[in-house]
PDB file of all heavy atoms in Angstrom:
ATOM      1  N   TYR B 200    -132.273   0.767  84.166  1.00 96.00           N
ATOM      2  CA  TYR B 200    -131.642   0.026  85.252  1.00 96.00           C
ATOM      3  C   TYR B 200    -131.004   0.982  86.251  1.00 96.00           C
ATOM      4  O   TYR B 200    -130.816   2.177  85.980  1.00 96.00           O
ATOM      5  CB  TYR B 200    -130.558  -0.905  84.694  1.00 96.00           C
ATOM      6  CG  TYR B 200    -129.640  -0.228  83.692  1.00 96.00           C
ATOM      7  CD1 TYR B 200    -128.680   0.704  84.096  1.00 96.00           C
ATOM      8  CD2 TYR B 200    -129.758  -0.484  82.332  1.00 96.00           C
ATOM      9  CE1 TYR B 200    -127.866   1.337  83.193  1.00 96.00           C
ATOM     10  CE2 TYR B 200    -128.948   0.148  81.408  1.00 96.00           C
ATOM     11  CZ  TYR B 200    -128.002   1.055  81.845  1.00 96.00           C
ATOM     12  OH  TYR B 200    -127.201   1.696  80.938  1.00 96.00           O
ATOM     13  N   ASP B 201    -130.647   0.439  87.379  1.00 96.00           N
ATOM     14  CA  ASP B 201    -129.807   1.145  88.337  1.00 96.00           C
ATOM     15  C   ASP B 201    -128.361   1.012  87.860  1.00 96.00           C
ATOM     16  O   ASP B 201    -127.884  -0.103  87.594  1.00 96.00           O
ATOM     17  CB  ASP B 201    -129.967   0.522  89.733  1.00 96.00           C
ATOM     18  CG  ASP B 201    -128.955   1.058  90.714  1.00 96.00           C
ATOM     19  OD1 ASP B 201    -129.108   2.208  91.161  1.00 96.00           O
ATOM     20  OD2 ASP B 201    -127.989   0.320  91.005  1.00 96.00           O
ATOM     21  N   ARG B 202    -127.663   2.123  87.738  1.00 96.00           N
ATOM     22  CA  ARG B 202    -126.320   2.086  87.152  1.00 96.00           C
ATOM     23  C   ARG B 202    -125.343   1.254  87.971  1.00 96.00           C
ATOM     24  O   ARG B 202    -124.468   0.593  87.415  1.00 96.00           O
ATOM     25  CB  ARG B 202    -125.785   3.514  86.980  1.00 96.00           C
ATOM     26  CG  ARG B 202    -126.462   4.279  85.863  1.00 96.00           C
ATOM     27  CD  ARG B 202    -125.656   5.511  85.485  1.00 96.00           C
ATOM     28  NE  ARG B 202    -126.179   6.100  84.267  1.00 96.00           N
ATOM     29  CZ  ARG B 202    -125.444   6.745  83.380  1.00 96.00           C
ATOM     30  NH1 ARG B 202    -124.151   6.881  83.576  1.00 96.00           N
ATOM     31  NH2 ARG B 202    -125.988   7.263  82.298  1.00 96.00           N
ATOM     32  N   THR B 203    -125.481   1.264  89.277  1.00 97.00           N
ATOM     33  CA  THR B 203    -124.578   0.479  90.121  1.00 97.00           C
ATOM     34  C   THR B 203    -124.748  -1.016  89.836  1.00 97.00           C
ATOM     35  O   THR B 203    -123.761  -1.759  89.713  1.00 97.00           O
ATOM     36  CB  THR B 203    -124.841   0.769  91.605  1.00 97.00           C
ATOM     37  OG1 THR B 203    -124.641   2.161  91.856  1.00 97.00           O
ATOM     38  CG2 THR B 203    -123.902  -0.047  92.485  1.00 97.00           C
ATOM     39  N   SER B 204    -125.994  -1.446  89.703  1.00 97.00           N
ATOM     40  CA  SER B 204    -126.255  -2.855  89.413  1.00 97.00           C
ATOM     41  C   SER B 204    -125.724  -3.244  88.040  1.00 97.00           C
ATOM     42  O   SER B 204    -125.148  -4.326  87.857  1.00 97.00           O
ATOM     43  CB  SER B 204    -127.759  -3.135  89.494  1.00 97.00           C
ATOM     44  OG  SER B 204    -128.257  -2.857  90.781  1.00 97.00           O
ATOM     45  N   ALA B 205    -125.917  -2.368  87.067  1.00 97.00           N
ATOM     46  CA  ALA B 205    -125.425  -2.656  85.724  1.00 97.00           C
ATOM     47  C   ALA B 205    -123.900  -2.695  85.693  1.00 97.00           C
ATOM     48  O   ALA B 205    -123.300  -3.555  85.041  1.00 97.00           O
ATOM     49  CB  ALA B 205    -125.945  -1.613  84.740  1.00 97.00           C
ATOM     50  N   ALA B 206    -123.251  -1.769  86.399  1.00 98.00           N
ATOM     51  CA  ALA B 206    -121.782  -1.770  86.455  1.00 98.00           C
ATOM     52  C   ALA B 206    -121.263  -3.062  87.064  1.00 98.00           C
ATOM     53  O   ALA B 206    -120.243  -3.607  86.614  1.00 98.00           O
ATOM     54  CB  ALA B 206    -121.297  -0.560  87.255  1.00 98.00           C
ATOM     55  N   ALA B 207    -121.966  -3.570  88.075  1.00 98.00           N
ATOM     56  CA  ALA B 207    -121.550  -4.829  88.705  1.00 98.00           C
ATOM     57  C   ALA B 207    -121.642  -5.984  87.709  1.00 98.00           C
ATOM     58  O   ALA B 207    -120.786  -6.882  87.697  1.00 98.00           O
ATOM     59  CB  ALA B 207    -122.419  -5.102  89.928  1.00 98.00           C
ATOM     60  N   LEU B 208    -122.662  -5.960  86.866  1.00 97.00           N
ATOM     61  CA  LEU B 208    -122.802  -6.998  85.839  1.00 97.00           C
ATOM     62  C   LEU B 208    -121.629  -6.981  84.872  1.00 97.00           C
ATOM     63  O   LEU B 208    -121.015  -8.016  84.586  1.00 97.00           O
ATOM     64  CB  LEU B 208    -124.124  -6.787  85.103  1.00 97.00           C
ATOM     65  CG  LEU B 208    -124.507  -7.662  83.897  1.00 97.00           C
ATOM     66  CD1 LEU B 208    -123.885  -7.213  82.607  1.00 97.00           C
ATOM     67  CD2 LEU B 208    -124.200  -9.128  84.169  1.00 97.00           C
ATOM     68  N   PHE B 209    -121.282  -5.806  84.369  1.00 97.00           N
ATOM     69  CA  PHE B 209    -120.157  -5.702  83.433  1.00 97.00           C
ATOM     70  C   PHE B 209    -118.840  -6.075  84.105  1.00 97.00           C
ATOM     71  O   PHE B 209    -117.990  -6.732  83.499  1.00 97.00           O
ATOM     72  CB  PHE B 209    -120.088  -4.295  82.845  1.00 97.00           C
ATOM     73  CG  PHE B 209    -121.093  -4.039  81.764  1.00 97.00           C
ATOM     74  CD1 PHE B 209    -122.349  -3.542  82.059  1.00 97.00           C
ATOM     75  CD2 PHE B 209    -120.788  -4.306  80.436  1.00 97.00           C
ATOM     76  CE1 PHE B 209    -123.283  -3.309  81.061  1.00 97.00           C
ATOM     77  CE2 PHE B 209    -121.716  -4.081  79.427  1.00 97.00           C
ATOM     78  CZ  PHE B 209    -122.969  -3.585  79.743  1.00 97.00           C
ATOM     79  N   SER B 210    -118.660  -5.687  85.351  1.00 98.00           N
ATOM     80  CA  SER B 210    -117.445  -6.065  86.090  1.00 98.00           C
ATOM     81  C   SER B 210    -117.364  -7.575  86.234  1.00 98.00           C
ATOM     82  O   SER B 210    -116.282  -8.172  86.134  1.00 98.00           O
ATOM     83  CB  SER B 210    -117.432  -5.402  87.468  1.00 98.00           C
ATOM     84  OG  SER B 210    -117.326  -3.994  87.360  1.00 98.00           O
ATOM     85  N   GLY B 211    -118.517  -8.218  86.457  1.00 97.00           N
ATOM     86  CA  GLY B 211    -118.543  -9.671  86.572  1.00 97.00           C
ATOM     87  C   GLY B 211    -118.127 -10.359  85.283  1.00 97.00           C
ATOM     88  O   GLY B 211    -117.434 -11.385  85.313  1.00 97.00           O
ATOM     89  N   LEU B 212    -118.538  -9.806  84.134  1.00 97.00           N
ATOM     90  CA  LEU B 212    -118.125 -10.374  82.852  1.00 97.00           C
ATOM     91  C   LEU B 212    -116.609 -10.335  82.709  1.00 97.00           C
ATOM     92  O   LEU B 212    -115.999 -11.267  82.174  1.00 97.00           O
ATOM     93  CB  LEU B 212    -118.776  -9.601  81.702  1.00 97.00           C
ATOM     94  CG  LEU B 212    -120.299  -9.704  81.558  1.00 97.00           C
ATOM     95  CD1 LEU B 212    -120.780  -8.774  80.448  1.00 97.00           C
ATOM     96  CD2 LEU B 212    -120.722 -11.130  81.271  1.00 97.00           C
ATOM     97  N   LEU B 213    -116.006  -9.249  83.183  1.00 97.00           N
ATOM     98  CA  LEU B 213    -114.546  -9.137  83.131  1.00 97.00           C
ATOM     99  C   LEU B 213    -113.887 -10.100  84.104  1.00 97.00           C
ATOM    100  O   LEU B 213    -112.904 -10.775  83.756  1.00 97.00           O
ATOM    101  CB  LEU B 213    -114.135  -7.697  83.446  1.00 97.00           C
ATOM    102  CG  LEU B 213    -114.600  -6.623  82.464  1.00 97.00           C
ATOM    103  CD1 LEU B 213    -114.313  -5.226  83.019  1.00 97.00           C
ATOM    104  CD2 LEU B 213    -113.914  -6.796  81.104  1.00 97.00           C
ATOM    105  N   ASP B 214    -114.422 -10.191  85.304  1.00 96.00           N
ATOM    106  CA  ASP B 214    -113.827 -11.066  86.324  1.00 96.00           C
ATOM    107  C   ASP B 214    -113.887 -12.538  85.912  1.00 96.00           C
ATOM    108  O   ASP B 214    -112.973 -13.312  86.207  1.00 96.00           O
ATOM    109  CB  ASP B 214    -114.553 -10.885  87.666  1.00 96.00           C
ATOM    110  CG  ASP B 214    -114.312  -9.517  88.285  1.00 96.00           C
ATOM    111  OD1 ASP B 214    -113.341  -8.845  87.868  1.00 96.00           O
ATOM    112  OD2 ASP B 214    -115.101  -9.112  89.153  1.00 96.00           O
TER     113      ASP B 214
END
Side-chain angles (χ1 to χ4, degrees):
Y200 47 73
D201 170 75
R202 288 196 170 211
T203 301
S204 299
L208 176 278
F209 282 90
S210 294
L212 293 175
L213 296 171
D214 292 342

